[in-house]
Amino acid sequence: MKIEHTLHVERRERVGSRYAKRERSVGKLPAVLYGHGQDPMSLTLNAKEAIRLFEQGERVFNIDLSGEGAQAVLLKDIQFDYLGTNVIHVDLARVDMTEEIDSHVVLRFVGEAPGMKRAGAIFMHPMSSLHIRCTVADLPDHIDVSVAELELGATIHARDIALPANIKLESDPDSIIAQIVEAVTEEATGEAAEVAASSAEPEVITKKKEEKEE
């Protein structure tokens, strides 16, 4: 894997929420760099550039720190604001291209599922990323999941995804990646509720039954 992108970074001398807010107001993204036994270092990134690359699925970058030269880093964590919409902070880790890492990789669904041609069919994908383990050099930008044979009622599990031999699945193999289900209509829901209600009604013990038992 060749690192194609370089993040432009600057050292951040002042830390704390107040200073971080100031950095964000001028288009910078606060970050912390750590790993390989070195002290954590506070940095800022170009917010527009960095977030664009993150949204494209990029996870490994070069950074060029004055006095330290270029080095490879891995995006380890992204923090969002309380609404979950804006990126407010990221964690970066120093890495060697040959070391093994755990990472979550974005899933990309490809193909046209035949099950979606049925009326009322709904495509569901509970997972948007897959937990894997591999070397930094083998870390993919995304993992393709073919739905070209997915029929109504069928399910794709994590174990069904074909991964290269040098990538190990860390997610639960039984995790549901995608499935096609049939929409439940209001009529069906109403009928189910009536059945449940009738089965839950208590038995009415009449006076005649009591007399018979006596």
Side-chain angles (χ1 to χ4, degrees):
M1 173 184 178
K2 180 182 178 182
I3 301 179
E4 298 181 354
H5 303 285
T6 298
L7 292 176
H8 297 92
V9 301
E10 297 177 4
R11 293 179 186 270
R12 185 160 50 103
E13 301 299 335
R14 295 181 175 181
V15 297
S17 59
R18 182 176 62 176
Y19 295 109
K21 186 176 181 180
R22 290 181 183 176
E23 297 287 358
R24 290 192 292 270
S25 69
V26 294
K28 296 181 180 180
L29 178 62
V32 171
L33 174 65
Y34 62 92
H36 284 195
Q38 299 184 43
D39 293 334
M41 182 182 301
S42 297
L43 305 171
T44 58
L45 314 177
N46 179 302
K48 184 176 181 180
E49 170 196 54
I51 293 173
R52 175 177 58 82
L53 293 173
F54 300 160
E55 291 177 343
Q56 292 175 1
E58 301 291 341
R59 291 294 178 268
V60 182
F61 308 90
N62 276 321
I63 62 172
D64 193 356
L65 279 171
S66 177
E68 296 188 19
Q71 53 190 289
V73 299
L74 173 71
L75 176 64
K76 290 291 289 184
D77 187 51
I78 299 179
Q79 297 177 24
F80 294 85
D81 61 12
Y82 69 97
L83 294 175
T85 54
N86 298 313
V87 179
I88 60 173
H89 186 276
V90 297
D91 288 342
L92 304 173
R94 299 178 180 89
V95 291
D96 289 328
M97 298 302 288
T98 56
E99 71 177 280
E100 282 197 341
I101 58 169
D102 284 338
S103 184
H104 285 81
V105 180
V106 173
L107 296 173
R108 187 174 68 178
F109 297 96
V110 297
E112 183 177 350
M116 290 302 295
K117 297 178 181 179
R118 298 281 297 274
I122 301 175
F123 177 72
M124 302 180 67
H125 54 100
M127 296 176 63
S128 59
S129 65
L130 199 66
H131 184 192
I132 64 170
R133 183 171 182 81
C134 64
T135 65
V136 177
D138 292 326
L139 182 64
D141 295 334
H142 63 271
I143 294 175
D144 284 341
V145 180
S146 175
V147 296
E149 298 181 4
L150 192 61
E151 299 284 354
L152 180 65
T155 300
I156 298 176
H157 295 89
R159 62 173 177 269
D160 300 323
I161 299 178
L163 297 174
N166 50 359
I167 295 180
K168 180 182 177 182
L169 176 67
E170 292 292 329
S171 292
D172 182 349
D174 294 327
S175 297
I176 294 176
I177 300 298
Q179 60 183 163
I180 296 180
V181 299
E182 188 171 6
V184 179
T185 64
E186 291 184 6
E187 181 180 352
T189 303
E191 291 176 355
E194 289 177 7
V195 172
S198 62
S199 63
E201 290 179 357
E203 180 184 4
V204 179
I205 302 176
T206 64
K207 183 177 180 181
K208 185 179 290 187
K209 183 176 181 180
E210 290 176 353
E211 292 175 350
K212 184 178 181 180
E213 289 177 350
E214 291 176 357

